[in-house]
Amino acid sequence: MNKVIAIDLGGSNLRVALIDENLNIEKLILEPTTKDDEDLLYSQIKRMIDELASSLKIEVNNIGISAAGFISNGIIKYSPNLNIRNFDLVSLLKRDYPNVKIKLANDANCSALAEAKFGSGANYKTVVFMTISTGIGVGLVENGQLVDLPLELGHEYIFYKNRYFEAEQLISGTGIVNLARLNNLNVKNAHDFFEKVLSKDINAKRAYEDWLRITASFISNIQVAFNADCFILSGGVLKSKAIFLSDLQSVANGFVLPFPVNHIRLTLAKFNQDVGIISAASLVLA
């Protein structure tokens, strides 16, 4: 039976898990991700792999890695949320695990592939995956094949309140906190923000309308470019989906109304908050 050690290298958390061929999580270890230091980060990753393998008394044969950032030829060229550059993770792992099959891809690309083949996008031709979490990630699958491009659209620029911001500085989980502050509202996190929206706080309502407009225009621009059959959404911000998802779909479809593209269909990731770790395994199993 094929089993994979899956690594979800995210901007906030590092998850290492053993996944079976049916995409079941047998055991998972989670720690805050080490940032700013490639050597310390690799030491953390290796320690967690060894800890997992030792606790389950297994031999490491396959490793799949889903990582945030710009990736090329097994190298994380730049990960803004981790503040690392030219992190040659695959070479380091091959040095320490020479007989192991290793695959690495951008986290949003991994998640798009997993959801398109095994999850909520299985019945669609063109699938866009979008995570709204610490940052913003976008992946694209066409006819079951990953379009392996570094679609780091979260770093495209948006003009707001007389200055330019990266999109994820306004619409991601951390961006929402920033957006709220720009509207004279202090919140601890995205959940706190949406609770204030629900309570009809005046500043929260104003900031929410801006967040809806910016996020919807971001999604509609992707739709005009790729004409997706569905958008699959995941990430921590989706914990508040009951408050905003219907509004977001309605506003986004208003933006694309003049164009001959599909109606924007927003759906939730099948694998929910586990999509990062499941998608890492799917790189090897797909």
Side-chain angles (χ1 to χ4, degrees):
M1 180 181 292
N2 290 323
K3 294 188 179 183
V4 180
I5 287 185
I7 301 169
D8 176 17
L9 179 53
S12 297
N13 294 307
L14 173 60
R15 297 173 175 87
V16 179
L18 183 69
I19 312 289
D20 70 18
E21 61 186 359
N22 296 313
L23 297 177
N24 296 310
I25 300 174
E26 296 196 359
K27 183 171 182 178
L28 182 145
I29 304 171
L30 181 150
E31 295 181 4
T33 309
T34 297
K35 302 182 182 183
D36 306 317
D37 189 311
E38 293 88 348
D39 293 336
L40 288 178
L41 176 57
Y42 181 69
S43 295
Q44 181 186 26
I45 292 169
K46 184 178 185 305
R47 172 179 53 76
M48 292 174 71
I49 292 172
D50 292 342
E51 179 181 329
L52 185 71
S54 175
S55 68
L56 296 173
K57 297 181 172 57
I58 60 168
E59 183 178 344
V60 180
N61 294 311
N62 301 290
I63 297 176
I65 309 153
S66 164
F70 296 82
I71 293 169
S72 177
N73 298 319
I75 300 173
I76 302 175
K77 293 290 189 180
Y78 177 44
S79 180
N81 291 320
L82 298 177
N83 192 30
I84 57 174
R85 291 182 183 270
N86 299 315
F87 182 34
D88 195 353
L89 179 54
V90 170
S91 291
L92 291 169
L93 288 169
K94 285 182 175 179
R95 178 196 67 194
D96 291 327
Y97 307 96
N99 299 315
V100 174
K101 177 182 179 182
I102 301 170
K103 289 194 174 182
L104 164 69
N106 168 271
D107 55 354
N109 284 351
C110 286
S111 296
L113 180 63
E115 286 288 343
K117 293 185 77 70
F118 307 115
S120 298
N123 297 319
Y124 297 102
K125 176 185 174 184
T126 305
V127 175
V128 169
F129 174 86
M130 180 175 169
T131 181
I132 311 176
S133 189
T134 304
I136 297 293
V138 178
L140 175 67
V141 172
E142 178 77 15
N143 290 321
Q145 299 296 312
L146 175 66
V147 180
D148 195 10
L149 296 172
L151 297 176
E152 289 287 334
L153 300 182
H155 301 293
E156 68 177 29
Y157 286 103
I158 290 172
F159 192 71
Y160 181 69
K161 290 191 179 293
N162 298 313
R163 59 167 288 195
Y164 286 97
F165 295 88
E166 292 182 24
E168 66 179 30
Q169 292 176 321
L170 297 174
I171 65 176
S172 69
T174 52
I176 285 170
V177 175
N178 187 40
L179 179 73
R181 186 172 59 251
L182 292 167
N183 285 276
N184 302 311
L185 178 69
N186 291 317
V187 296
K188 295 177 289 187
N189 50 43
H191 175 75
D192 186 27
F193 171 74
F194 286 111
E195 286 299 307
K196 282 182 167 50
V197 172
L198 202 58
S199 70
K200 302 187 185 304
D201 179 281
I202 294 174
N203 288 332
K205 182 178 184 296
R206 184 184 302 114
Y208 175 64
E209 289 172 352
D210 284 355
W211 180 83
L212 269 182
R213 175 177 50 80
I214 296 168
T215 308
S217 65
F218 182 86
I219 290 171
S220 66
N221 284 336
I222 296 172
Q223 183 66 348
V224 170
F226 299 118
N227 196 22
D229 296 302
C230 76
F231 280 71
I232 299 173
L233 304 183
S234 183
V237 172
L238 270 296
K239 292 176 182 177
S240 300
K241 60 185 178 292
I243 299 171
F244 69 79
L245 193 60
S246 177
D247 289 343
L248 183 60
Q249 181 166 278
S250 177
V251 176
N253 275 304
F255 278 121
V256 299
L257 197 60
F259 304 102
V261 296
N262 294 328
H263 180 85
I264 293 174
R265 182 194 304 269
L266 303 182
T267 189
L268 302 178
K270 174 182 176 180
F271 300 115
N272 200 8
Q273 303 304 315
D274 290 327
V275 68
I277 201 74
I278 294 294
S279 66
S282 73
L283 279 177
V284 177
L285 296 173

